[in-house]
Every structure is written in C-alpha cells, then in structure tokens.
Amino acid sequence: MADYTIGLGNNDSQTRKRADEDYIKFWAEQAKNLYWFEVWHDTLQWNPPFGGWFVGGKLNASYNTLDVIVQKNPTKTALLWEGEGGQSRVVSYNDLWIEVNKFSNVLKSLGVQKGDRITIYLPMVPELLVSMLACARIGDSGSKIVITADGGFRRGTIIKLKEVIDDAISGLDFIQNVIVLEHAKIPVALTSRDKKWPDLMKFASPNCEPEKLESTHPLYILYTSGTTGKPKGVLHGTGGYLTHLYSTFKWIFDIKDSDVYFCTADIGWVTGHSYVAYGPLLHGATQVMYEGAPDFPTPSRMWEIIQKYKVTIFYTTPTALRMFMKFGDGIPNLHDLSSLRLLGTVGEPINPEVWKWYYDIIGKKKSPIVDTWWQTETGGAMITPVPGLETISLKPGSATRPIPGVDIAVVDESGKEVAPETKGYLVIRKPWPGMLLTLYHDDEKYKLVYWSKYKTSYYTGDYAIKDKDGYFWMLGRADDVLKVAGHRLGTAELESGFVSHKAVAESAVCGIPHDVKGEAIIAFLVLRDGYSNSETLKNEIVDHIRNVIGPIALPEQLYFVPRLPKTRSGKIMRRLLKAIAKGDDIGDISTLENEAAVSEVQAAFEEVKLSIKKNQTR
Ligand code: ATP
Ligand code: MG
C-alpha cells in the first residue's frame, strides 16, 4: 500500500498536548497571534448554547489583515487576480490597504455607521475584498447600502448584476444608495440613488481609523449552502472567528512567505470568507483570485492558472475534482503542475478514488492532501490534517483527526459516544472559537437546529464513523442516511462504491420507500467521457457494487443523467433527487446552480419508469 505519511518539516507534539490539557487556555494563547487594541477579560463566556470568546477584548479585522501586514511588508503581493477572459491584475497589500481606507471613508460619507448593514453583490474581483474589509474597518455587519457592479463574467456571458439588484430592491425605500463598480463595462441605468465607484473614490482620503470593536461584534452574516433546502443565516463574530482562522490557516497549509495559494471558492460562500478573505490575509499570503468558471473556456483552465502563477497550494472541492476527472488525465498532464506542494479539499466527503486521482495526477505523488471537514457554522476547519503542526499518516477518504483544541465525537441517538468503527452522529462537545454566535435574528432556531437533539453538544447534522486509529470518515448528511433491510448506510459509502467503477464520474444515491426492505436504493450516475448508457454497463456497475460493498447495497434502479443537481457552492442536492423519485414537490430550489439538471433528472427518471412499465405489461 502506498505510504501517505505527511508532515511538512514540523513535528510539534506540544501544541496538541497543551490543547488537551486546557482548551480555553490554549485558545487564549492562540488569540495572542492577533493584534488587540485592548486585551480581553474573559477568554470564554459560555451561557449554553451561546458562546462569547475573548470578551472585553477589542480588535479590528481589517487592521489585522492589512495594517499589520503593511507595517512589515507593504509591497508583498496580496492578490494575483485573473479574469475569466485571461485579464490579470496584481494587487499588493499596500494597494489593498489604501483602497480599503478610501472605501471606508466613502461608506462613512454616505452615512454608514457602526452596526449598519450593507449588502455586497459583486463578482470575484479585488473590489469585493475591498468592500468586505472596509465594512469590517468601520464596524459594519452586513441594508441600507448595496455594493454591486454593472456586470460579471461567467462562462463567457455577462451577468447583469446591476439589473438584478434594481429588480431586487425596487420598492425597498430603506436602501439609500447603490454603489456601482464598472467591471464588465456595459451600459447601466443610473438614478440619483446610484453612485459610481470611481466617482466616490476619487476624492476619498486614504486614511481611516479602524474602529476598535468588541471581540463579539458581528463580522458578517452568511447563509449556509442550502443543500437541505433551508439556508440558515449564520452570524459570526470577530475575535474568536479570526483566532480560529489564524491558527487553522497556519496549521493546515503550513503557509510560507514564498507560497502562492489558490482557493477556488467563491467569496459568497463560507470557504471564500474564511480561506480567501480572512485566513490568507491574516498571514500576509499571496493568493490567486479567479473570477470565472473552473472549466471555462476549456477544461484546462485551473491547470493553466496553476502553471501561470506557479501555484504552490491548491484548495478546491470534491465536486470540481470529479468534474476534472471526468475529462480524463490527458488534460492536466499537458500542464506543468510541478510548483504544487500541497492540495486541499472541502465541501463534501471526498471519495477515496477521487482522492487518489488528485494525489497521483495533480500532486504527482509528492503533494499531501488536506481534506478539511467544517461547516458555515463552525467558521473554520475542524477535522483535517495539520501538516504545519505535526506528521500524520493520511488515509484516502478520511479527513483524519480534529484540530487541537476542539472536541468532536460520534454518538448514538441518546448522545452516548459509540465504539470505534460504529456509525453515528457527529457532534462537537465543547465550544470552539470560530463557532457561530447565533442564527441572525433567530436565537430560537439556533437552539432548535443545533442544540435540541443533544442538549450539551452541538449537532452537526452529519453522519460519520471514527476508526480504531481515531480517524473520522464522513458518511454524508444524517438526513440522507438510507435504512435498507435494517442497515443504515450513509450516502458517501454508497457513492464512493459507484465512483470507484471506471465508467462512473459522479454519483448520487437516495432511498425511496420499499415494502420489504424499508428503503430501496436508487442511484443517479454521470458517466466519464468515453462511456455511454447500456444495459451491459448497468449490469457491470451493479456487479461492481456487489463486490465492493455487498448485496445489501444493490440499487433498485440506476439512472444515467448528464448532470446532477447541485447548489451554487457545488454540492449535490440529494433531497431533490429523492423528491423527484417519490413524486413529491421539489420545494425551494433558489440555491440551485443548474436548474436544467432538475428536468434532466426528471426525464431520466420518467424514461426508466416507462421502460419498467412496458416490461411489466409485456
Ligand atoms: P445547509 O446547512 O443549508 O443544508 P450545507 O450544510 O451544505 O447547507 P455548508 O455549511 O456550506 O452548507 O456545508 C457544510 C457541510 O458540508 C457539512 O455539514 C458536511 O455535510 C459537508 N462537508 C464539508 N466539508 C466536508 C468534508 N471535508 N468531508 C465531508 N463532508 C464535508
Ligand atoms: Mg449545513
């Protein structure tokens, strides 16, 4: 078996030991890596289930991500921005600092005050970061001002952002101003409420004192991906959240001054907030920011970018990887990927097959993979290898162990920790610094969603297993667990079985009621390039499942579909497949990326249903 032991020069056993001894003291030590205007009096105020970290402490997120870096190294490159069409911009920390100061003054001149809310609707451009950090500088949390652009680029077309905003806010009298960035250079209708970005910035002063904000001051509100169809408005604070990100970014990515980091996440999702905006900037890292779609104009777009900027750390999603795999090895093999030294993944369980492909073909067997498990609610990574801290032997498909200072377990229905190798629910047993403050304007829902199944542990909603070595394996969402003939099966276990067949690029399974088995498994499969739908292939795949998982996992039906329905953050929406299969209402699909996928799945489903009927009547 291949040896996947990693450790990037560090083997610090002390950190984990200190964390185990006293997690509160440990996080206080970590918080000292940030710049505080005033030191906290209480490291943790825990009024279950509400936590406040570093209470009494005062700091500013924009000061920590910009001023602190600029004082040491003003010319350091912050952003290597790449547009979809190949345009590029280089932005230094000093450039970013000036822009953020000016924009903070612009917001103030428009009457924005500490505690006001601002809506940002921008493409992946440097001004998006400028806007976020300016809000953080003056103490805003997230709507009387809207910041947008004329348009943004996606798959070669221009999305008219200003028009979308005009529609969205028509009749909303409380919106005082809309700030419009000229990015796509398309004509837009402007009223007296609308202000052009350059007009506002022209005379803005480049000095804006950062507000000294309470550690528990809200930094932003962000909605979860909506995989379950019920996005939740997660509210994050400042001091705890930044501490979590400072530490995890260093531990996970072992960041060095010379690194070129590239995270493919959109800033609109939590990965973009935590590991594009705050984590890298807190460390003065240089990163690539890319505006367009990962496979546009060609499937080699990501590899071109890695080659062009000599990217050393690449952080993406299993969904993206499965798509790249579908196109075959030839495409990445045409590019020089030798600069890469570390690979990351987040968002869904990564199938062992995909993990190995990433390791072999992209990392050329020399770059370790950090599979990072976390949620919008956790703020930062929770279960992940930490090569910047310690050596660990990786296992393809496992996110490995919790980071130091957090307490995570797998429990049964009653909340009791299960024996190793037993499936159960993933819970977090102690407060952690990146934890959400609450759900925006809904403390009751916060209690209900996360703290009602188990009173003293945070319920993640994920199904998992901890093996004998203490490694965690994510089996999928608890809501999606299938109950077949008395066995509980996580979606990830089954889907990894399908994806390990050479013809299968992507798979999604769900259960439908069955008289005998309780639930029957149905699978929706996307084939790799070069394979096509046939009965022989179907039978071959079913045999494969029998071999790799066992007869219990045999699907009742297989459907070949061109695409799977996914959220905009790239996660498979299994609940939609289930609704289609059961003939239920498909519910809210506002977070869906590709609406066409729904009708494609419906069509595949109908086709199979009809052919079953035909066979029955024969
Ligand atoms: P919603 O809660 O609205 O349904 P969501 O849970 O998809 O949306 P996120 O907070 O973006 O929204 O995603 C967190 C979830 O993603 C986790 O609970 C888990 O199910 C999954 N996840 C994230 N990273 C990993 C990983 N490395 N391995 C396995 N699963 C992961
Ligand atoms: Mg969730």
Side-chain angles (χ1 to χ4, degrees), residues 224-228 232 347-349 371-372 375-376 462 477 571:
T224 56
S225 290
T227 311
T228 47
K232 297 163 278 282
E348 287 194 313
D371 172 7
T372 64
Q375 310 180 300
T376 310
D462 281 351
R477 283 157 201 276
K571 299 173 194 231

Side-chain angles (χ1 to χ4, degrees), residues 157-168:
T157 55
I158 294 177
I159 299 170
K160 296 177 178 162
L161 303 177
K162 173 67 165 55
E163 273 185 21
V164 176
I165 285 292
D166 285 345
D167 279 351

